[in-house]
Amino acid sequence: MDTSEDVLQPLSPDLVRGSETARPAKAARLSPSFISWLQAGPMMLVFLAFFLIPLVFVVIVSFWDYNEYQLLPAFSGRGYTDTFEGCLAQLPDLCTIVRTYLKTLKFCFLVWAITLFIGFWVAYFLAFHIKSKTWQMGLSLLCTIPFWTSNVIRMIAWIPLLGRNGLVNSGLMKTGLIYQPVEWLLFSEFSVVLALVHLFTFFMVVPIFNSMVRIDKSLIEAAYDAGATGLQTLVNVIIPLAKPGIVIGSIFVITIVMGDFITIGVMGGQQIAAAGKIIETRVNALQFPAAAANAVILLVITFLIITMMSRIVDIKKEL
Amino acid sequence: MKEGRPRSFYVLAIFFTAYVLFLYGPMIAIYVLSFQGPQGGLTFPMNGVSTFWIAKLFQGTGIVDLGASFRRSLLLGLVVMVVTVVLSVAAGMAFRRKFKAQSILFYSAIASLIVPSIITSLGISLEFRIVDDLIKAHWNENFETSMGLLTSGLGAHLTWTLPFGLLIMFAIFNRFDPRLEEAARDLGATPWQAFRHVVLPIILPSVIGIGLFGFTLSWDELARSSQAIGAVNTLPLDLQGLTTTVTNPDIYALGTVISAVSFTVITLALGTIHVLNKRQAAKGSDAGQGLV
């Protein structure tokens, strides 16, 4: 007995750790941590070169000086002061730049609220009312496909419907509800919100659906058996359990709308500015530090919203 | 549970149908309108039916050279697809065991997904500008720019497609049974053989899914291309340029053609995934049966 235990003792850690260490020859050639680096390294390099370093450059350049022709690598707060030029003097009236940020936040909130409402009930229907897995797959695919086509096309698709001579206007005129075309349907705040909801509800449906299908159906049965009404089950069982999906979807929608300037530009008839648009305008005027400063401001606002959101739930744990 | 369907089912079914109509209605409208007759305008009613506007696209009469940007978008999409698949599968494999810097990579991917595109785009353009300035100052005064479709443009698109690829890999390996791989190893397979003959065939349908995401996300990408792609235009950029001057149904025709490419890729990918799943079900279903 003693001897056999002695023999097993040095072997057992290897057996537990698995085959990598059980084969010393292989382990000597390529260590597991080296293989991991080899596998994950390329993706890390892409993020380093095209995301992390550019982000650092945005922050650095936002503190550079500039003139009409070039960037001047010297510390300066001009990017920021130019952005808010004249804002203090104008008080108590809000200056254009502050109004633009507030408008972006307003779009953000409206789109978030609407996509959350639609996304929640669409996901709820798919997760709880569709029993067959095939149907569930098919119907979710149906919701996913438009996401795979160009956003610009989905934006301009509203023109024949909402335009002055569009389907909605001509339909309303034919029924005699109105006598002249409604003008605010297209190139207005209404059409901006409509298009944003149309484009991005997908980002709300998918995460909420994902957390809903994971809910154990017996919990809902248990709630009913314990005498809960439908509403009580919804509020006390389903919503708390679907919260991770709701938060992830919300973060997606909010960050997309915060940075969006293309939808707001196209659907607003280039009349409504957004935070992202300020950046584009500054770039076109070759005022890179000012563009970078606005990017930093936008990033900070977005980051604050996300931090508030992720306090509610640990995102990494839920993936 | 109660017999039959509750009333909430019907209410939500109507809600769902309305949502699907809302999703597809406008798109269908422009697909139909792209077949306007030569005299047709931007809105209904149809003024004859023809392929006039689609043909006009391919004649290349417009202000922009759509043929060239079509080829550019296609090339970029294919390169992005291949790179996304290779890097995502590799990184996904890495995440199956613990390694240093794994949380850095994870948070980079998530951050890249949620930092507004315009900021990433601006950052890449600043980075390349600074590199250009350095090259001009130190090596070659006549150097033009290192920005381009397959440098800054490719990088910008990868920051959008790779996070999706990585998340799909997480989802795959969440339900992957590592015992299959161990069995292969016990039978004497090298790590590469185990990957090539055991892991890859099992994950292949989802890998095709990653390719599908890679191509279509790049094909339709706009915000990240806007600052980072250099002097050339992709198809979505041209399309966006056209929206400000839109007077003819040719913009709808362009939309229809772009969508047609997207839908072809989606259909091909889904068809392949379906065939692979069928094959897996037919050939792999009895694995391990009769042993326990």
Side-chain angles (χ1 to χ4, degrees):
Chain A
M1 288 301 260
D2 269 344
T3 48
S4 72
E5 256 187 59
D6 279 344
V7 172
L8 279 175
Q9 210 84 69
L11 265 181
S12 50
D14 283 352
L15 288 174
V16 174
R17 252 185 278 161
S19 49
E20 252 114 352
T21 40
R23 277 197 225 162
K26 286 254 178 281
R29 243 183 329 141
L30 290 172
S31 73
S33 76
F34 180 75
I35 296 175
S36 298
W37 278 106
L38 219 58
Q39 288 171 330
M43 187 182 278
M44 195 64 235
L45 281 180
V46 172
F47 284 129
L48 195 68
F50 296 107
F51 178 64
L52 298 173
I53 294 176
L55 220 51
V56 172
F57 272 124
V58 168
V59 177
I60 294 174
V61 170
S62 76
F63 289 107
W64 278 7
D65 201 0
Y66 59 100
N67 60 29
E68 280 158 54
Y69 311 104
Q70 57 184 334
L71 286 168
L72 306 171
F75 181 83
S76 156
R78 226 186 116 189
Y80 293 90
T81 47
D82 276 9
T83 299
F84 293 105
E85 204 183 351
C87 278
L88 278 176
Q90 244 180 305
L91 283 173
D93 287 335
L94 293 173
C95 53
T96 320
I97 197 95
V98 174
R99 265 187 285 140
T100 307
Y101 276 106
L102 285 179
K103 181 151 280 177
T104 311
L105 283 173
K106 177 180 147 191
F107 282 137
C108 225
F109 178 77
L110 279 175
V111 174
W112 171 74
I114 299 170
T115 52
L116 179 59
F117 180 81
I118 300 175
F120 184 86
W121 289 115
V122 166
Y124 183 94
F125 177 72
L126 290 175
F128 293 115
H129 281 305
I130 304 296
K131 300 285 193 294
S132 132
K133 275 269 173 281
T134 323
W135 271 98
Q136 222 172 41
M137 281 274 291
L139 290 179
S140 4
L141 202 62
L142 194 69
C143 298
T144 312
I145 285 173
F147 164 72
W148 270 320
T149 62
S150 175
N151 281 358
V152 187
I153 296 162
R154 294 171 64 199
M155 284 171 218
I156 58 167
W158 287 105
I159 296 172
L161 271 81
L162 301 180
R164 204 165 182 284
N165 305 309
L167 277 185
V168 174
N169 266 330
S170 52
L172 287 175
M173 301 231 302
K174 267 195 195 116
T175 54
L177 281 171
I178 52 171
Y179 296 100
Q180 50 188 10
V182 182
E183 299 283 353
W184 53 263
L185 284 176
L186 194 61
F187 304 139
S188 60
E189 291 192 10
F190 168 79
S191 61
V192 169
V193 173
L194 188 73
L196 288 169
V197 168
H198 187 233
L199 290 173
F200 302 127
T201 309
F202 166 83
F203 284 100
M204 201 62 109
V205 174
V206 173
I208 298 181
F209 173 72
N210 269 337
S211 40
M212 274 183 179
V213 282
R214 280 194 229 162
I215 297 175
D216 191 346
K217 300 284 184 295
S218 53
L219 287 175
I220 295 161
E221 297 245 7
Y224 275 115
D225 291 346
T229 63
L231 186 68
Q232 282 173 324
T233 315
L234 187 71
V235 173
N236 297 315
V237 181
I238 295 173
I239 291 181
L241 288 172
K243 206 167 67 181
I246 295 174
V247 172
I248 291 172
S250 304
I251 288 176
F252 264 128
V253 169
I254 288 168
T255 52
I256 290 173
V257 178
M258 279 305 287
D260 183 278
F261 60 101
I262 293 164
T263 319
I264 297 179
V266 171
M267 295 312 288
Q270 307 298 341
Q271 297 301 308
I272 302 172
K277 186 74 189 170
I278 304 171
I279 299 175
E280 207 205 14
T281 314
R282 293 288 188 168
V283 168
N284 290 342
L286 298 179
Q287 300 171 329
F288 291 105
N294 275 289
V296 171
I297 296 167
L298 184 62
L299 197 60
V300 169
I301 298 174
T302 314
F303 182 74
L304 284 177
I305 300 177
I306 294 175
T307 321
M308 284 188 324
M309 288 261 161
S310 53
R311 288 222 159 175
I312 311 172
V313 66
D314 180 359
I315 302 166
K316 188 172 180 185
K317 216 175 70 190
E318 305 298 340
L319 281 166
Chain B
M1 276 285 192
K2 278 168 270 176
E3 288 291 310
R5 295 192 188 282
R7 199 184 331 140
S8 62
F9 171 85
Y10 295 100
V11 175
L12 285 176
I14 292 167
F15 186 77
F16 181 79
T17 314
Y19 172 66
V20 170
L21 283 178
F22 168 68
L23 268 188
Y24 284 85
M27 288 163 66
I28 291 170
I30 67 154
Y31 300 150
V32 173
L33 282 173
S34 65
F35 292 98
Q36 280 274 26
Q39 306 302 320
L42 281 173
T43 50
F44 286 103
M46 297 283 284
N47 204 335
V49 176
S50 74
T51 52
F52 176 83
W53 297 104
I54 291 172
K56 195 163 169 264
L57 278 186
F58 291 102
Q59 287 161 10
T61 47
I63 322 138
V64 284
D65 186 358
L66 293 176
S69 40
F70 188 91
R71 281 190 297 277
R72 273 195 291 268
S73 277
L74 201 61
L75 171 71
L76 184 57
L78 291 173
V79 174
V80 168
M81 178 179 83
V82 172
V83 176
T84 305
V85 166
V86 174
L87 297 196
S88 305
V89 171
M93 292 292 289
F95 268 92
R96 299 177 66 200
R97 58 175 107 77
K98 280 207 177 346
F99 65 100
K100 277 182 196 155
Q102 75 175 16
S103 62
I104 297 179
L105 180 55
F106 175 80
Y107 284 114
S108 305
I110 297 299
S112 180
L113 203 59
I114 58 183
V115 162
S117 298
I118 177 79
I119 297 175
T120 311
S121 186
L122 174 70
I124 292 174
S125 96
L126 288 175
E127 181 187 44
F128 275 76
R129 255 165 233 279
I130 290 167
V131 169
D132 287 350
D133 284 350
L134 284 178
I135 293 176
K136 273 181 216 163
H138 295 284
W139 289 287
N140 179 0
E141 278 188 33
N142 299 321
F143 186 78
E144 285 282 327
T145 178
S146 49
M147 280 180 99
L149 194 67
L150 292 179
T151 53
S152 53
L154 175 64
H157 281 209
L158 286 177
T159 60
W160 180 228
T161 58
L162 287 180
F164 281 99
L166 191 64
L167 291 180
I168 297 175
M169 286 307 293
F170 285 170
I172 300 170
F173 283 129
N174 264 345
R175 354 177 256 262
F176 187 85
D177 187 350
R179 285 177 302 178
L180 296 168
E181 214 179 349
E182 268 167 42
R185 249 188 258 129
D186 289 347
L187 290 169
T190 63
W192 171 250
Q193 283 174 325
F195 174 76
R196 169 70 189 78
H197 296 289
V198 178
V199 179
L200 190 60
I202 296 174
I203 66 171
L204 198 58
S206 315
V207 171
I208 290 172
I210 295 176
L212 168 66
F213 261 91
F215 181 83
T216 48
L217 288 178
S218 162
W219 176 252
D220 295 326
E221 163 53 39
L222 187 55
R224 269 163 218 247
S225 315
S226 65
Q227 312 299 327
I229 209 130
V232 295
N233 268 359
T234 58
L235 214 45
L237 281 167
D238 274 345
L239 188 66
Q240 191 214 351
L242 282 179
T243 57
T244 49
T245 55
V246 54
T247 46
N248 283 331
D250 51 4
I251 191 170
Y252 299 151
L254 183 57
T256 305
V257 171
I258 296 179
S259 297
V261 173
S262 294
F263 286 137
T264 310
V265 174
I266 296 172
T267 316
L268 279 178
L270 292 181
T272 317
I273 291 170
H274 183 70
V275 170
L276 286 171
N277 279 335
K278 274 258 159 92
R279 256 174 60 119
Q280 226 168 62
K283 293 195 172 173
S285 64
D286 59 353
Q289 273 178 18
L291 288 176
V292 184

